[in-house]
Amino acid sequence: ELSDLLTEATCHLWATTLLNTSFARIFAWIDDPLYPKPPEDIPTLKFVNAGIMIVYKKIASHSKTGTSRVKLEFSMLVEERLPKATFIRFTGNADANPFRPGDPNLDRFFNFMLFLQHLQYQFTKASAYISDWQGVGMRFFLAI
């Protein structure tokens, strides 16, 4: 169980780094006078903050040395609480086509997330991109 959580947390860390690197690349292009400016504002995206909580149970103490033996009681992935808003799934792992809920106000977010996937695929030399985009409301907290 803990091993699986560590794998998930590592994926979360890598995806967060990939997203942050993508934005750094985009903003470097925006600041470069050789490149045209984007046609609209860049959407703000971030991943939820997450971590692993590990709870140990004390099973023995040594009064002379002051040390204790502990046993892993349980572990879990904890994520920040998202604001109450409409949950939106943009892309999934089973299909590269985006889910379009029919709201024209969300089209720029759909298009931007698809653009990010192409950008990430290119600058990782075809080895990685973020999939399964999902979010809450218009602030788009993303979960992996």
Side-chain angles (χ1 to χ4, degrees):
E1 179 182 306
L2 181 57
S3 175
D4 291 342
L5 289 176
L6 291 170
T7 299
E8 188 169 346
T10 300
C11 287
H12 188 279
L13 178 65
W14 279 103
T16 300
T17 301
L18 190 53
L19 182 66
N20 292 342
T21 302
S22 300
F23 275 107
R25 171 91 36 114
I26 290 166
F27 290 124
W29 286 331
I30 290 172
D31 291 341
D32 189 329
L34 296 176
Y35 291 99
K37 299 299 175 217
E40 52 190 46
D41 291 336
I42 303 297
T44 301
L45 307 173
K46 76 178 251 350
F47 282 109
V48 295
N49 292 313
I52 296 177
M53 180 177 72
I54 302 172
V55 176
Y56 292 97
K57 180 179 181 181
K58 187 176 181 179
I59 56 173
S61 295
H62 299 290
S63 58
K64 289 183 180 181
T65 62
T67 60
S68 299
R69 285 185 38 214
V70 295
K71 174 185 166 194
L72 176 65
E73 189 73 12
F74 69 91
S75 56
M76 65 173 35
L77 184 70
V78 291
E79 297 177 338
E80 74 180 284
R81 175 173 241 136
L82 297 176
K84 292 200 183 286
T86 303
F87 179 83
I88 302 166
R89 179 177 211 104
F90 292 97
T91 60
N93 292 327
D95 190 344
N97 294 315
F99 305 119
R100 295 196 183 261
D103 184 345
N105 295 323
L106 296 176
D107 277 349
R108 75 183 198 126
F109 289 101
F110 281 102
N111 294 333
F112 184 71
M113 287 180 214
L114 295 175
F115 160 75
L116 281 176
Q117 286 181 321
H118 288 281
L119 175 66
Q120 293 160 358
Y121 191 75
Q122 283 184 343
F123 74 71
T124 62
K125 295 182 173 74
S127 63
Y129 64 89
I130 299 169
S131 66
D132 201 14
W133 293 101
Q134 42 192 289
V136 176
M138 294 303 285
R139 290 189 55 203
F140 295 99
F141 294 86
L142 305 169
I144 281 194

